[in-house]
Amino acid sequence: MNSKIKVSGNIISELSEKIPSNIIALNELLKNSYDAGAPKVTVILDSSDRILKIVDTGSGMNKDDIDTLFHISTSAKKYGQINEYNRYTQGAKGLGFLSVFKFGRNVEWKTRKENEIGYIFKANYNLLVNTNDISQFEVEVIEDDTIEKGTSITIFLDEYNAKSLEGYFEIESNYKKVLNSFDDQTFAIELQINGTNYLSSNTPKLISNVPEHQLYYVKYNSNDQKIKFLYNNYEALTEDYLFDSKEYKLDIELVIFHFPPNGKKKVDKLFFNPQNDLAPLLYVNSNLFNNYDLFDPNIMKNIKTLWVLNQMIGFVRIISDNPLINFNSDRTQFLQNELTDSIKNFLSEINKRIQTIGALNKNHLLQFNFLTVSELPSECNNFIDSEEFRKYIKNDFPFKSDVAIERIANKVKYTLFGKEKELNIKASVDARAGTGAGAGTGAKADTGAKADTGAEADTGAGADTGAGADTGAGGNGGQKGKSTVPAVINLNSNDVKLAVPTGQIDLKQYIASIYDSSSNLVANDLAIIKCDRIEVNNGILSSVTEPIEKCIEYSYKDLKTGLVVKQLNMTFYRPTSKITGKNKAEKLISLPSKENYQISYNQSVANLFKQLNSLDLKDYLELIACSLRAGFEISIDSINKSSKFGTLFNNVKGLEDRVVKVIDYIHSNKRFVTEIANSSKIDFNSLKNILDAQRFRSGISTAHLGAHKAGTYLTENDIKQLANLLGVFVVVVNEMLQNNNIT
């Protein structure tokens, strides 16, 4: 006796619900057009009639292709391989057509291959889902010879998705990412959104973004293995950077800016991430990869603040046909394996290197202050070779050998990367009007062989005499002044540590005294104060909310002896408090707060943290990974069983979505955030920043996979970040359940 395997139509629901967002679902549909060789695809939204159409001029489908379309999880395609249209194949799982059900329950296809008959067929989501055995379901396919070559999909939207798509496309960064779903000039994308047209061809080139504030244009290709920095369209820096993988190819193209406050607003919205920060776009096999972690512009913030160059945009392109290239359901992360780990590590390290090299040379290029003099001495009149003028370039200037030098009469022009500095050569002694050995006569004539009475004293017509005349060895004729000594800046301390968040900081308070070269006390207000080489207005530093190190530079320019500089190192740290249960024992998770905080809504959570705190992270990585997810699950369960919030999760399934629901619920109400901040002693702005739904969604997703593959998927740093998120989350839950002012 045999038994047949049946597949319920509910599998359609399970698979289509794995598509998490509009951009991912649209991308799946656009990939079908791309793989069909279409030179153009048009997406049409009519939210009033509740219709979404995707129309392409690709190869179309015949009956065999339609049969394959409905053969779930079957595809003849090989991901990443070059197809007959000289494109990297996108679809390979046989699940792409399910994306239509992200937007509506009724869908109609019209398709035709060249020189073949056309077809119309329809699918109803509800009929499919309610089918006992989907393998027995039949889709009626009707011949229609009036259909043009290509494929047209019409999705009849429900009310929610019509409004959702309308709102989605009202945001510039959203529709621009759809327009630029593919890094391929042979594939045009057009959007017709409620009568307004957008074309992918209208996207400005990378290098045309705010050129007046561009610092570097950076290129790296795995073939030549060189990081190249272009400054002002000149190749300023080049460094060899080894690439040793044969499993993928890499091409990086970046623009790094040096913006004044609010300057980034001029950048094309295409390059803004969900947190509204600038970020490069990642493309895998020419298709946009919805990930902003693999090449994080802020990677240097916790390493060395002086090396941060996070104002960057651009493209990071990965090419590979290796089957290990695979993604999670929402295409925000690679599935972890040896290859994807190597890609992740390489991108992290080259990102750090690019920012480090660029930062070390940034100020030399921006300040362009590379000469030791403001006027060339008279001896330069005798120079024959232009190279002799190079000695007046500072020895520590990294581009000293790149400076071109040209003498024109009594001027010398120094040129570097299209920028120029021109210096006068001081007139020779023989050329001065005056009397003496070889000198002429006239006002301010020098007397004697060099007209020196003592050391450089001037006498004769027009010379200074009396109170202001120089006589003797550097002395003053008449009134005698103070002797010249080095100017000095004295600080109260060379190192300062402050807890974040801070208020605004008056940096002048750290100056003990300033004395000029005549030993006169100078007002502190005359000091120029810079933070990380950027001048601080009025000496007032803005509030610091995150742990970081800053270099404060105090300078004073003395009229006689020139510039004097003193540095102060400021370290900003986050004070931590323990989360405690009733026994006040120390726990694993700390808060960005100065006081201890007691959780009471569930003793299991308190016990869990106590036990985790006794474990060594390296030895118990897997156990801790599982426990972190358990902490979220217990907390969600406590909310779900409460009388206050028992209905909060109606129609919300899955741990990630429920955690996000909690974060959104609290974050959207300023009063709730204030209550939690006051109870936990966490700074309001810090708490507001931490309560970011996307951060928690990503964290829970990481915890989910980590619970199964902690030894290979999660690093110790991942564990610590997840623990910090959980620490804040249990405080939020505790306040929701215990604080009567949060309802």
Side-chain angles (χ1 to χ4, degrees):
M1 182 180 294
N2 298 325
S3 180
K4 297 179 72 174
I5 296 176
K6 292 183 179 182
V7 180
S8 170
N10 193 51
I11 190 67
I12 299 292
S13 173
E14 290 294 320
L15 293 174
S16 61
E17 286 181 2
K18 297 297 183 183
I19 302 170
S21 64
N22 291 325
I23 190 171
I24 302 303
L26 283 169
N27 188 54
E28 289 297 319
L29 296 175
L30 295 177
K31 286 196 297 185
N32 291 334
S33 299
Y34 186 78
D35 282 347
K40 180 180 179 181
V41 62
T42 302
V43 178
I44 305 167
L45 172 66
D46 186 334
S47 59
S48 60
D49 288 342
R50 295 200 289 189
I51 288 177
L52 176 67
K53 296 184 70 172
I54 297 90
V55 182
D56 71 50
T57 54
S59 61
M61 292 184 284
N62 58 23
K63 183 58 169 60
D64 290 340
D65 296 324
I66 295 171
D67 292 341
T68 301
L69 176 71
F70 286 108
H71 193 165
I72 298 174
S73 197
T74 295
S75 176
K77 301 176 182 179
K78 299 296 182 184
Y79 176 69
Q81 292 187 353
I82 297 290
N83 62 19
E84 59 187 297
Y85 308 108
N86 199 33
R87 293 174 174 175
Y88 296 105
T89 300
Q90 302 299 319
K93 295 183 177 180
L95 299 174
F97 95 93
L98 296 176
S99 300
V100 296
F101 297 127
K102 169 69 178 174
F103 304 112
R105 296 305 188 238
N106 290 291
V107 186
E108 178 185 78
W109 284 262
K110 293 182 180 180
T111 186
R112 181 175 187 168
K113 272 188 176 293
E114 193 168 17
N115 301 322
E116 296 190 31
I117 194 71
Y119 296 97
I120 298 177
F121 54 95
K122 301 178 181 180
N124 180 280
Y125 175 86
N126 293 329
L127 291 177
L128 287 169
V129 169
N130 293 322
T131 299
N132 183 47
D133 183 0
I134 197 172
S135 64
Q136 303 301 313
F137 190 91
E138 293 188 359
V139 176
E140 182 181 12
V141 180
I142 303 172
E143 295 183 357
D144 187 334
D145 200 36
T146 65
I147 295 172
E148 297 182 356
K149 174 180 170 290
T151 299
S152 171
I153 305 173
T154 302
I155 305 171
F156 299 92
L157 305 172
D158 55 41
E159 183 177 359
Y160 167 78
N161 279 299
K163 290 183 178 179
S164 175
L165 281 170
E166 182 179 32
Y168 180 81
F169 282 117
E170 286 176 351
I171 300 173
E172 185 177 354
S173 61
N174 288 344
Y175 71 71
K176 285 196 170 181
K177 286 182 174 62
V178 175
L179 286 172
N180 292 273
S181 298
F182 289 86
D183 182 36
D184 189 335
Q185 297 301 312
T186 70
F187 187 56
I189 299 175
E190 179 184 11
L191 300 179
Q192 297 179 12
I193 310 301
N194 293 326
T196 302
N197 287 25
Y198 306 97
L199 298 173
S200 58
S201 57
N202 291 338
T203 301
K205 293 183 179 180
L206 173 66
I207 199 67
S208 65
N209 277 268
V210 203
E212 67 272 22
H213 291 302
Q214 289 183 14
L215 175 59
Y216 297 114
Y217 174 53
V218 182
K219 297 190 294 184
Y220 178 83
N221 187 278
S222 55
N223 290 329
D224 61 21
Q225 301 181 40
K226 293 180 183 295
I227 304 174
K228 298 178 181 179
F229 291 79
L230 279 73
Y231 174 78
N232 204 25
N233 295 322
Y234 291 83
E235 191 170 301
L237 297 160
T238 301
E239 178 172 292
D240 292 334
Y241 200 88
L242 179 65
F243 183 90
D244 58 3
S245 176
K246 296 181 180 179
E247 301 304 321
Y248 71 102
K249 296 179 181 179
L250 181 65
D251 182 83
I252 298 174
E253 182 185 9
L254 305 171
V255 168
I256 299 177
F257 297 99
H258 181 71
F259 279 128
N262 299 317
K264 74 176 185 179
K265 292 180 179 179
K266 297 181 181 180
V267 176
D268 193 302
K269 293 299 182 183
L270 173 65
F271 298 104
F272 283 77
N273 66 17
Q275 286 72 46
N276 204 37
D277 293 325
L278 297 183
L281 300 178
L282 270 76
Y283 287 87
V284 180
N285 293 327
S286 297
N287 184 227
L288 183 63
F289 182 25
N290 192 32
N291 178 287
Y292 295 95
D293 299 324
L294 289 175
F295 205 91
D296 181 7
N298 293 308
I299 195 169
M300 297 297 294
K301 276 194 171 181
N302 293 323
I303 299 175
K304 193 171 181 66
T305 182
L306 290 177
W307 294 348
V308 172
L309 287 180
N310 60 345
Q311 295 177 331
M312 67 165 67
I313 62 174
F315 305 103
V316 178
R317 304 175 176 99
I318 301 167
I319 300 296
S320 178
D321 61 0
N322 192 304
L324 290 176
I325 296 290
N326 214 332
F327 312 94
N328 62 355
S329 61
D330 60 0
R331 283 186 70 89
T332 59
Q333 299 289 340
F334 281 129
L335 292 185
Q336 194 206 10
N337 54 56
E338 183 178 3
L339 175 57
T340 56
D341 273 355
S342 70
I343 295 173
K344 178 180 179 180
N345 292 335
F346 186 88
L347 290 178
S348 174
E349 293 307 313
I350 196 171
N351 185 3
K352 294 175 186 176
R353 190 58 189 155
I354 287 171
Q355 294 199 43
T356 300
I357 299 171
L360 289 173
N361 293 279
K362 176 181 71 173
N363 288 317
H364 292 294
L365 295 171
L366 291 175
Q367 296 173 5
F368 213 61
N369 182 23
F370 57 85
L371 294 169
T372 59
V373 295
S374 58
E375 183 181 40
L376 294 167
S378 59
E379 65 179 9
C380 294
N381 286 290
N382 300 320
F383 288 177
I384 298 174
D385 188 350
S386 294
E387 281 299 305
E388 295 182 86
F389 294 98
R390 196 172 298 277
K391 70 180 183 179
Y392 297 105
I393 301 175
K394 295 176 181 178
N395 289 328
D396 63 349
F397 186 61
F399 307 101
K400 183 173 183 177
S401 61
D402 298 313
V403 179
I405 304 173
E406 180 184 12
R407 177 175 179 176
I408 305 172
N410 66 333
K411 297 179 182 294
V412 176
K413 183 167 66 176
Y414 293 85
T415 305
L416 178 66
F417 306 142
K419 297 169 69 174
E420 297 179 354
K421 273 185 175 291
E422 192 173 82
L423 266 62
N424 292 321
I425 302 175
K426 191 174 183 179
S428 300
V429 172
D430 293 343
R432 292 181 185 177
T435 60
T441 61
K444 198 171 175 61
D446 295 336
T447 61
K450 195 180 177 183
D452 289 346
T453 306
E456 192 88 31
D458 292 336
T459 63
D464 295 333
T465 61
D470 295 335
T471 59
N476 297 324
Q479 181 180 334
K480 185 176 180 180
K482 295 181 180 180
S483 60
T484 300
V485 296
V488 63
I489 297 175
N490 297 310
L491 300 179
N492 293 319
S493 174
N494 293 326
D495 294 278
V496 173
K497 293 185 177 181
L498 297 173
V500 296
T502 70
Q504 292 187 336
I505 303 169
D506 184 358
L507 297 175
K508 297 187 292 294
Q509 67 178 308
Y510 299 104
I511 302 175
S513 59
I514 304 175
Y515 289 94
D516 65 15
S517 57
S518 298
S519 299
N520 295 318
L521 187 65
V522 176
N524 291 352
D525 289 340
L526 295 180
I528 296 173
I529 305 176
K530 295 181 179 180
C531 176
D532 295 339
R533 302 183 181 179
I534 298 175
E535 188 167 345
V536 180
N537 292 332
N538 301 315
I540 305 298
L541 185 65
S542 299
S543 295
V544 180
T545 60
E546 295 294 335
I548 199 170
E549 291 183 359
K550 292 183 179 292
C551 178
I552 310 301
E553 182 182 279
Y554 298 84
S555 62
Y556 169 73
K557 191 169 185 179
D558 186 87
L559 294 177
K560 294 181 180 179
T561 60
L563 190 67
V564 58
V565 177
K566 199 68 175 284
Q567 285 189 346
L568 167 66
N569 296 316
M570 300 192 80
T571 301
F572 298 87
Y573 68 96
R574 188 182 304 284
T576 60
S577 65
K578 306 177 185 67
I579 297 180
T580 68
K582 294 181 179 178
N583 58 6
K584 304 292 184 182
E586 186 174 305
K587 308 300 176 185
L588 170 68
I589 316 257
S590 62
L591 295 177
S593 166
K594 298 178 182 179
E595 298 184 15
N596 290 349
Y597 182 86
Q598 181 174 319
I599 55 173
S600 55
Y601 68 90
N602 193 309
Q603 190 58 37
S604 295
V605 176
N607 293 339
L608 178 66
F609 294 160
K610 179 181 179 181
Q611 293 165 20
L612 288 177
N613 188 60
S614 66
L615 302 178
D616 183 88
L617 187 57
K618 293 181 180 179
D619 295 337
Y620 293 94
L621 198 66
E622 291 84 355
L623 177 59
I624 294 174
C626 296
S627 300
L628 288 172
R629 183 173 175 85
F632 284 106
E633 290 174 336
I634 294 170
S635 300
I636 290 296
D637 185 62
S638 296
I639 295 174
N640 205 29
K641 292 178 179 178
S642 71
S643 57
K644 288 177 67 176
F645 298 102
T647 61
L648 182 64
F649 302 130
N650 283 355
N651 301 318
V652 179
K653 299 178 180 179
L655 180 62
E656 293 175 33
D657 291 335
R658 291 187 170 191
V659 169
V660 167
K661 179 70 174 180
V662 171
I663 298 301
D664 284 339
Y665 181 78
I666 296 298
H667 187 272
S668 62
N669 191 310
K670 183 178 179 180
R671 182 171 61 83
F672 292 169
V673 178
T674 301
E675 285 289 335
I676 296 173
N678 290 339
S679 297
S680 63
K681 307 304 180 185
I682 303 174
D683 174 71
F684 175 86
N685 290 324
S686 297
L687 180 60
K688 189 80 172 174
N689 291 333
I690 293 170
L691 295 177
D692 177 80
Q694 186 58 40
R695 181 187 297 183
F696 276 84
R697 182 181 292 280
S698 177
I700 303 301
S701 178
T702 303
H704 175 61
L705 187 55
H708 300 285
K709 300 182 178 180
T712 56
Y713 185 77
L714 292 178
T715 65
E716 291 183 27
N717 189 53
D718 290 330
I719 292 283
K720 292 176 182 177
Q721 291 181 14
L722 290 171
N724 289 337
L725 286 177
L726 182 55
V728 174
F729 190 71
V730 297
V731 172
V732 169
V733 175
N734 196 63
E735 291 300 315
M736 287 176 65
L737 299 179
Q738 306 296 332
N739 191 325
N740 293 329
N741 293 324
I742 299 179
T743 57

